[in-house]
Amino acid sequence: MNEILIAVIPVVIIGVLCAAVLVIASKVMAVKEDERFPAVRDCLPGANCGACGFAGCDGYAKALCENPDTPANLCIPGADSVAKQLGEVLGVEVGEVVEQVAVVHCSGDCQHTKDKVVYSGIETCAAAKMLYGGKGSCTYGCLGLGDCAAACPQNAIFVKDGVAQVYTCDCIGCGICVKTCPNHLISLVPDTKKVIVACSNRDKGAVTRKVCSAGCIGCKKCERVCPDGAIKVVDNVAVIDYEKCSGCGTCAENCTTKCIKVEDLSVKRQ
Amino acid sequence: MTKLIIILLSAVFINNYVLSRFLGICPFLGVSKKLDSATGMSLAVIFVMLIATAVTYPIQYFLLTPNNLGYLQTIVFILVIAALVQLVEIVLKRYIPSLHQSLGVYLPLITTNCAVLGVTILNIDEGYTFLEAMVNSLGSGLGFFLAMVMFSGVRSKIEGADIPESFKGLPVTLIAASITSLSFLGFGGVIENMFAA
């Protein structure tokens, strides 16, 4: 009995001492966290996509709490509703969020273009790109190995017939795919717009035509028919100025190769 | 002085805690994927090993040995180290936030790490003086650092290699770890002979 006590008592004393020191230390040296932080963090969707430019939702919440100049409308996935909540929590005026969706500027699927080689290397676009610009005969087009699909936090991109496609309804507009694509084929477009150019080939028309039947040949027909003057052919490929575009679709109707397309980008999964 | 150098070098190379004594394997396999997290983890381990030794050594010789309580060594050491690491974390958070940011996430991970506990107990078993014990802890921490940094290099190479499907992930990591560990056998006897001449 005595021996057990001799063993137990020192351990208990040490344990209690340690506990007391820890309690005192945590009280004395407590670091004050901004009490708004949990509230702000709760407003954010928690996708940690980084579209706001900060390191994840925690980083953005921290910046919002510490620096009053941080705009509260940077969360693109959360859009207006989150911006409004943030504004209420922080007590600031919030501008509107322009919701954006990712758009792939290539339509060179297996019906329209051919492979020039059989590629059997590492199965990523980044690796394929380094080997003579990829397996496709068009070096500007989609490499079709799905780096963007792998990077997408929402699984909103898939590769169909060798071309990446975006499920607009799942896209949160974070822009991770834009940074991932080695051919820079993906861009963010405001979801109120309806017309997209599905080609990025900057070769002359004749060259483009040889490698892909769906490519932009730079004929400038769209430039002439656009009532708003919103389309310009730059480097042999049509570029839409979304500031001016009214989404009438005249260009798409008149496009020679049908590489300008009308799509409803504003569909969101409810 | 020579003895201190021998203790330091043998703790780093010959009795490397990870590769020869197989202690602290959990963080070794868990955190060695990237070089920067491996470095952060190892620095935290060096730090904790040093203070753990500084605290447990007096406890052994002023509390446990005089009262014939040697058999309580393991549990008392675990208790003290765990409390100590928590305390260090609180202090760091308050006074050196930048260091807390870089070491912070790793500190709770090593509260009851077997390498840390191993160092403190082996220091007692080997009968080191306080200074020798501290040098041994430093060496053990450096050895851990060396193993982590080396192995993170090995792992980044493995990541890019074409490995058979069934070996991908942990199996090939374990094989690589065993080969790295074998290579450290080559240090056996080197340090003693270096100073024997």
Side-chain angles (χ1 to χ4, degrees):
Chain A
M1 187 60 204
N2 205 16
E3 281 186 8
I4 296 177
L5 270 184
I6 287 174
V8 169
I9 291 172
V11 177
V12 169
I13 292 175
I14 293 175
V16 170
L17 272 181
C18 289
V21 170
L22 279 184
V23 167
I24 294 169
S26 66
K27 284 269 182 269
V28 172
M29 297 187 214
V31 180
K32 259 198 193 155
E33 274 191 6
D34 197 317
E35 69 277 2
R36 293 178 305 175
F37 179 82
V40 172
R41 178 64 188 77
D42 282 346
C43 293
L44 297 169
N48 287 322
C49 65
C52 49
F54 294 94
C57 294
D58 282 343
Y60 185 38
K62 206 171 164 202
L64 280 169
C65 293
E66 284 170 3
N67 185 0
D69 294 334
T70 315
N73 60 348
L74 294 181
C75 183
I76 292 167
D80 281 339
S81 61
V82 165
K84 220 166 132 194
Q85 282 178 29
L86 284 177
E88 278 165 19
V89 172
L90 295 164
V92 290
E93 287 286 314
V94 187
E96 261 199 21
V97 181
V98 181
E99 284 182 53
Q100 293 185 309
V101 290
V103 164
V104 181
H105 296 286
C106 177
S107 46
D109 56 22
C110 43
Q111 275 112 47
H112 294 107
T113 184
K114 294 261 171 332
D115 287 352
K116 67 175 176 228
V117 290
V118 175
Y119 176 75
S120 59
I122 302 168
E123 290 284 304
T124 66
C125 302
K129 172 75 180 164
M130 282 194 271
L131 195 72
Y132 303 105
K135 63 176 177 176
S137 42
C138 171
T139 49
Y140 297 95
C142 180
L143 297 149
L145 293 171
D147 279 13
C148 48
C152 182
Q154 295 290 311
N155 293 327
I157 306 185
F158 62 107
V159 177
K160 193 185 163 204
D161 294 340
V163 176
Q165 299 197 346
V166 181
Y167 273 124
T168 309
C169 54
D170 284 337
C171 179
I172 55 172
C174 62
I176 291 172
C177 49
V178 176
K179 289 173 212 146
T180 311
C181 181
N183 269 349
H184 309 291
L185 290 175
I186 309 180
S187 70
L188 292 176
V189 171
D191 73 351
T192 47
K193 303 301 177 185
K194 295 196 161 48
V195 189
I196 57 168
V197 180
C199 181
S200 307
N201 192 312
R202 288 188 292 278
D203 283 333
K204 287 228 169 81
V207 182
T208 309
R209 196 73 189 162
K210 249 182 211 163
V211 296
C212 180
S213 60
C216 175
I217 53 173
C219 65
K220 303 199 176 177
K221 203 170 168 189
C222 45
E223 248 187 59
R224 289 191 297 274
V225 297
C226 180
D228 310 306
I231 299 196
K232 269 248 142 37
V233 173
V234 184
D235 288 342
N236 299 312
V237 64
V239 177
I240 300 177
D241 181 353
Y242 285 107
E243 296 273 293
K244 293 182 189 159
C245 176
S246 65
C248 64
T250 320
C251 48
E253 281 163 30
N254 287 288
C255 181
T256 328
T257 57
K258 299 292 169 212
C259 70
I260 303 185
K261 292 179 175 167
V262 177
E263 272 175 36
D264 191 0
L265 300 178
S266 61
V267 200
K268 284 274 169 226
R269 181 165 291 183
Q270 292 307 314
Chain B
M1 193 61 205
T2 321
K3 197 182 175 197
L4 288 184
I5 296 174
I6 291 179
I7 289 175
L8 182 74
L9 291 180
S10 32
V12 176
F13 294 109
I14 300 168
N15 297 325
N16 189 295
Y17 266 76
V18 179
L19 298 172
S20 303
R21 283 187 165 138
F22 308 119
L23 293 170
I25 295 293
C26 166
F28 178 62
L29 293 176
V31 200
S32 61
K33 255 188 203 140
K34 279 199 213 126
L35 182 62
D36 51 347
S37 54
T39 319
M41 180 81 192
S42 329
L43 289 178
V45 166
I46 296 179
F47 186 60
V48 171
M49 276 181 175
L50 280 173
I51 44 173
T53 306
V55 172
T56 52
Y57 192 90
I59 287 184
Q60 172 73 30
Y61 284 109
F62 292 112
L63 183 74
L64 299 182
T65 318
N67 299 317
N68 283 328
L69 290 173
Y71 57 92
L72 285 178
Q73 191 188 44
T74 311
I75 190 160
V76 169
F77 279 15
I78 290 178
L79 189 67
V80 172
I81 294 171
L84 184 76
V85 175
Q86 295 299 318
L87 183 67
V88 168
E89 203 198 345
I90 295 172
V91 173
L92 279 187
K93 202 172 178 186
R94 179 76 171 82
Y95 293 107
I96 324 172
S98 55
L99 191 63
H100 180 259
Q101 279 226 321
S102 48
L103 295 189
V105 277
Y106 306 112
L107 279 177
L109 278 178
I110 39 178
T111 31
T112 45
N113 184 298
C114 55
V116 176
L117 185 66
V119 169
T120 54
I121 291 180
L122 285 171
N123 277 337
I124 308 295
D125 287 356
E126 299 276 339
Y128 287 144
T129 64
F130 185 70
L131 186 63
E132 286 167 354
M134 289 305 280
V135 169
N136 184 43
S137 311
L138 177 68
S140 309
L142 287 176
F144 187 84
F145 180 82
L146 180 73
M148 289 287 275
V149 169
M150 268 179 46
F151 198 56
S152 70
V154 173
R155 275 185 93 162
S156 64
K157 286 277 176 198
I158 291 177
E159 210 118 292
D162 196 10
I163 303 160
E165 195 61 41
S166 50
F167 279 98
K168 271 182 187 162
L170 200 56
V172 76
T173 311
L174 287 173
I175 292 172
S178 65
I179 295 172
T180 319
S181 162
L182 270 180
S183 70
F184 265 66
L185 275 182
F187 285 115
V190 171
I191 310 290
E192 283 89 341
N193 293 331
M194 224 160 72
F195 292 95

